[in-house]
Structure formats: structure tokens, C-alpha cells
């Protein structure tokens, strides 16, 4: 296999799915939904969770057909080598684009809230170096680290949700169900962009110890993240109201910053908040680098994973420092992200499953 430590349990797999999703998409989602549906924004979050669970079910069904093969191998067997490589290259470009936006947004926020005098290229470079080191240690090391991080993020999230719920004005959620059903469904379809890393399910199956229950475990993890996403959307509306929420670029960070924590508990409130968000960004970027190396190694069939991780990190860094306006980048790449997400999370898995059945290739007990 790829690494000496290349197998993870289903519990570790579930944790990775949840932590990988804690990125920039989550902290800007309430604003995007409020623009579309006003106080009904949380309904979109609920429906999009159902969509995302369906996508993950389909994605993991591909893994059950080809439990031991990697992405390039089973596409090569189903279609052809050129098509498999083309799909791999497009997948690589998708991951690079997503990770670049993630690291740039992180650098912008840290620069604007904590490290005012620190050049953004230093912030991004340091984060990438740490992520690069973690990615080079293999998926089992990442999984074990995530088992520690999930307790930190989980306890913090519960603590924050309880405090915010006490101080929120839930009357801001009224009137209820004023948005057109077609608008809700269409927006929920686009909102699946916020479920980062679903497509990694096409790459991770060979690394799982227990493949039999992987599909159910993955769908459950998406559900858990969707619940968290919905709760923070509800709290954002209840705390700010939909009118104010529409004007905030990073609403979830602003929401957490409204907490009135005792001064003796933490001296730098903003630093306290961003430090927990960094854990989500760290796992997202690390996953991006790890799976980029997997795809590159499978395409070229030579070289070390550490080398491909370095090349991937360098490419992402150069792209990230060339960005001048993160707001425009987020807006202009949204449709690209959506198209690629739908392709790799829904369309391609459906085609793979159908083709495998027609050609009677793989295990069809899915």
C-alpha cells in the first residue's frame, strides 16, 4: 500500500469527514443563505444536508464496488487510461482551487483580526508548512491527530452554542416559511458547496479497515455536520437578524465574537475564537495536500508522496499569494466549485456505478 500507516477505523473516518468540512464555507454560509431566503435561511441548510447525505451515499457506493482499487485504476478499467487521467487531472485542479481559496481566506482573516503587521504570505506559508508536514505522515497519523482535535472542537462548539442560545432573540426567525419552495430547493442544491470534502470519498476507500459499514458511517457524519451547520445558521439569524446578517462577510466568526466571555477566562477574545477555527482550516488544507499527492502518484506511477505533497503545497502557495481580492475570488469561483462538486459528488459516481453494472465489473452488492 501507500504508507506503512495507511489504515484507519470507521470512527477515525467519521471524524475526518466532520473536521474536513470546518472551513471557510461554514463561516460565510449564513450570509449567503440570508441573502436568498432572509429568515428562512436555516431551511435551506436543512434541505442541503439531505442532498449532501444522498451524495455521500452514492459516492461511498462506488467504493463498495471497487474496495481495493484507487480512483485512477477503476476509471481506467471502466473507461480508458486517457479518460482516467483526464478525470484525475480535473480532480487535482478542483482540490488545488478549493485549498487555495481556503488558505487565502484564512490568511486574510488572521491578518485582519490578529496579526496586523505580519505579511499575509508569512501567515499562509507557515500554515502550509505545518499542513504539509502533517500530510506527509500518512492518513493514520492524520486520523489519530483528528481524534484529539475533535474533542477540542466539539467541546468548544457545544460551549459556544449554549452561550449563544441563551443570548439570542429567536423571534428574529419569524415569520416562518415565507420563501418560495422552488427558491428553497434551488438554493439548497447550490448550498451543497459548503459540505467540503465529500468527493474525497472517491479516494479514501482503500484506506479503511472496515469497508462494509463505511457508507452508513459516512452518511451519518455528513448528517452531524449538517446539524452543526444548521444550528449556527439559526443562531446567526437569531442574533443579528437577516438584514444585518446579509452585510457580514464572516458571520459565524462575528457571531462567536459577540459572546461576552469573562475577562479572566481569556484575554484576547478574537484570538480565542480564531484559534479554534484554525483547527478546521488545518485539517481541510492537510486533506487537500494528502489527496493531491495520492492522485499525482497514481497518475504518474512514480516518485514519492512527500515530493508530490511539496509540489502541491508550493503550487497552492504561489496561487494564494497572487490573489488580490478574496471577496471577488469567493464570488467568481462559486459557480466553478458548484459545477465541479456536482460532477465529482453526483454525476461521475452515478456514471461509474452504471458503467460497472453494465460491464459487470467489481462487486455489485451495493
Amino acid at each position: 500500500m501507500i504508507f506503512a500507516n495507511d489504515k484507519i477505523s470507521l470512527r477515525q473516518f467519521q471524524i475526518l469527514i466532520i473536521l474536513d468540512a470546518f472551513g471557510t464555507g461554514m463561516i460565510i454560509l449564513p450570509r449567503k443563505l440570508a441573502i436568498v431566503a432572509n429568515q428562512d435561511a436555516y431551511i435551506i441548510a436543512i434541505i442541503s444536508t439531505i442532498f449532501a447525505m444522498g451524495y455521500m451515499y452514492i459516492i461511498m457506493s462506488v467504493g463498495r464496488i471497487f474496495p481495493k482499487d484507487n480512483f485512477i485504476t477503476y476509471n481506467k478499467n471502466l473507461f480508458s487510461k486517457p479518460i482516467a487521467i483526464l478525470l484525475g487531472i480535473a480532480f487535482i485542479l478542483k482540490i488545488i482551487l478549493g485549498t487555495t481559496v481556503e488558505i487565502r481566506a484564512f490568511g486574510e482573516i488572521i491578518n485582519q483580526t490578529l496579526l496586523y503587521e505580519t505579511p499575509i504570505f508569512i501567515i499562509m506559508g507557515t500554515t502550509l508548512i505545518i499542513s504539509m508536514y502533517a500530510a506527509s505522515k500518512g492518513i493514520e497519523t492524520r486520523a489519530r491527530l483528528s481524534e484529539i482535535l475533535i474533542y477540542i472542537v466539539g467541546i468548544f462548539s457545544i460551549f459556544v452554542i449554549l452561550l449563544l442560545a441563551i443570548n439570542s432573540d429567536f423571534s428574529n426567525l419569524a415569520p416562518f416559511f415565507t420563501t418560495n419552495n422552488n427558491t428553497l430547493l434551488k438554493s439548497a442544491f447550490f448550498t451543497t458547496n459548503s459540505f467540503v470534502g465529500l468527493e474525497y470519498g472517491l479516494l479514501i476507500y482503500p484506506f479503511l479497515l472496515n469497508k462494509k459499514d463505511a457508507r452508513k458511517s459516512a452518511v451519518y457524519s455528513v448528517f452531524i455536520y449538517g446539524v452543526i451547520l444548521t444550528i449556527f445558521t439559526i443562531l446567526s439569524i437569531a442574533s443579528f437578524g437577516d438584514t444585518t446578517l446579509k452585510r457580514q462577510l464572516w458571520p459565524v466568526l462575528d457571531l462567536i465574537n459577540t459572546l461576552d466571555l469573562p475577562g479572566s477566562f481569556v484575554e484576547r477574545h478574537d484570538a480565542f475564537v480564531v484559534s479554534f477555527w484554525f483547527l478546521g482550516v488545518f485539517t481541510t488544507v492537510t486533506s487537500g495536500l494528502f489527496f493531491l499527492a495520492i492522485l499525482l502518484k497514481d497518475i504518474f506511477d512514480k516518485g514519492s508522496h512527500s515530493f508530490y505533497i511539496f509540489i502541491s503545497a508550493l503550487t497552492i502557495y504561489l496561487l494564494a499569494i497572487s490573489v488580490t481580492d478574496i471577496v471577488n475570488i469567493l464570488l467568481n469561483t462559486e459557480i466553478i466549485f458548484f459545477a465541479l462538486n456536482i460532477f465529482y459528488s453526483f454525476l461521475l459516481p452515478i456514471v461509474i456505478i452504471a458503467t460497472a453494472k453494465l460491464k459487470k465489473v467489481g462487486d455489485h452488492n451495493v
Side-chain angles (χ1 to χ4, degrees):
M1 292 297 290
I2 294 169
F3 293 99
N5 54 341
D6 66 349
K7 295 292 183 179
I8 61 174
S9 67
L10 286 184
R11 178 173 176 272
Q12 292 172 327
F13 175 46
Q14 289 180 303
I15 293 172
L16 285 173
I17 291 174
I18 295 172
L19 287 181
D20 283 351
F22 273 86
T24 303
M26 179 180 182
I27 67 173
I28 65 176
L29 182 64
R31 175 183 63 84
K32 292 166 60 179
L33 299 187
I35 291 173
V36 174
N38 301 313
Q39 71 278 3
D40 288 334
Y42 67 94
I43 300 175
I44 300 177
I46 294 172
I47 300 173
S48 67
T49 298
I50 297 173
F51 282 149
M53 290 169 65
Y55 292 165
M56 182 56 89
Y57 183 92
I58 296 170
I59 289 170
M60 296 307 292
S61 294
V62 172
R64 293 186 64 165
I65 296 175
F66 305 102
K68 297 181 180 180
D69 293 334
N70 62 52
F71 180 80
I72 300 298
T73 299
Y74 63 69
N75 278 295
K76 188 189 303 181
N77 294 334
L78 287 176
F79 308 114
S80 65
K81 184 175 181 179
I83 291 178
I85 292 176
L86 183 61
L87 290 171
I89 291 173
F91 207 158
I92 287 169
L93 294 177
K94 178 192 183 303
I95 298 174
I96 288 176
L97 180 60
T99 309
T100 298
V101 172
E102 193 75 38
I103 199 71
R104 179 67 192 202
F106 175 75
E108 292 274 1
I109 293 175
I110 294 296
N111 182 254
Q112 294 171 14
T113 59
L114 296 179
L115 306 175
Y116 310 105
E117 303 297 329
T118 304
I120 192 170
F121 67 87
I122 296 294
I123 299 172
M124 294 189 297
T126 303
T127 305
L128 276 170
I129 289 173
I130 297 172
S131 300
M132 186 170 58
Y133 176 78
S136 68
K137 294 302 177 180
I139 196 168
E140 186 185 4
T141 300
R142 290 183 54 237
R144 290 184 177 182
L145 178 60
S146 295
E147 285 184 293
I148 299 173
L149 297 182
I150 194 65
Y151 286 106
I152 299 173
V153 173
I155 292 172
F156 173 73
S157 297
I158 293 172
F159 173 70
V160 165
I161 288 171
L162 291 175
L163 287 182
L164 288 172
I166 294 172
N167 298 317
S168 297
D169 180 7
F170 290 97
S171 65
N172 286 328
L173 297 175
F176 302 101
F177 305 108
T178 61
T179 307
N180 181 275
N181 289 338
N182 289 333
T183 300
L184 292 175
L185 288 172
K186 181 179 178 181
S187 299
F189 187 54
F190 281 94
T191 301
T192 51
N193 268 4
S194 298
F195 289 80
V196 179
L198 293 182
E199 67 279 5
Y200 292 156
L202 294 171
L203 307 173
I204 202 170
Y205 219 88
F207 297 97
L208 300 178
L209 282 171
N210 181 2
K211 295 177 171 61
K212 181 180 178 181
D213 298 321
R215 183 169 61 186
K216 180 173 66 176
S217 298
V219 172
Y220 181 70
S221 295
V222 173
F223 169 75
I224 294 297
Y225 175 71
V227 169
I228 297 171
L229 203 63
T230 303
I231 289 174
F232 274 108
T233 301
I234 291 173
L235 291 174
S236 296
I237 301 168
S239 297
F240 299 126
D242 61 284
T243 302
T244 302
L245 183 58
K246 295 174 185 178
R247 298 194 297 265
Q248 295 173 309
L249 180 59
W250 317 109
V252 172
L253 290 183
D254 294 336
L255 173 67
I256 299 176
N257 265 321
T258 63
L259 290 175
D260 185 19
L261 298 176
S264 58
F265 178 66
V266 60
E267 184 176 349
R268 287 293 306 278
H269 190 184
D270 52 356
F272 177 71
V273 171
V274 174
S275 64
F276 283 93
W277 176 56
F278 168 75
L279 299 179
V281 173
F282 167 73
T283 55
T284 301
V285 174
T286 302
S287 289
L289 294 176
F290 178 82
F291 288 114
L292 281 171
I294 294 296
L295 283 169
L296 288 167
K297 179 67 166 59
D298 290 339
I299 288 174
F300 292 104
D301 198 25
K302 61 181 178 180
S304 69
H305 283 268
S306 296
F307 171 75
Y308 289 120
I309 287 171
F310 172 76
I311 292 299
S312 299
L314 180 60
T315 302
I316 290 168
Y317 179 71
L318 293 175
L319 289 173
I321 62 175
S322 67
V323 175
T324 56
D325 188 343
I326 186 60
V327 176
N328 284 331
I329 289 296
L330 289 171
L331 292 174
N332 294 332
T333 58
E334 189 168 7
I335 189 63
I336 299 175
F337 277 131
F338 173 73
L340 290 172
N341 280 340
I342 289 299
F343 181 75
Y344 282 99
S345 299
F346 180 68
L347 295 178
L348 180 60
I350 288 291
V351 171
I352 290 173
I353 293 171
T355 305
K357 286 183 177 295
L358 287 173
K359 291 188 173 183
K360 297 181 180 180
V361 177
D363 182 0
H364 297 285
N365 296 318
V366 299

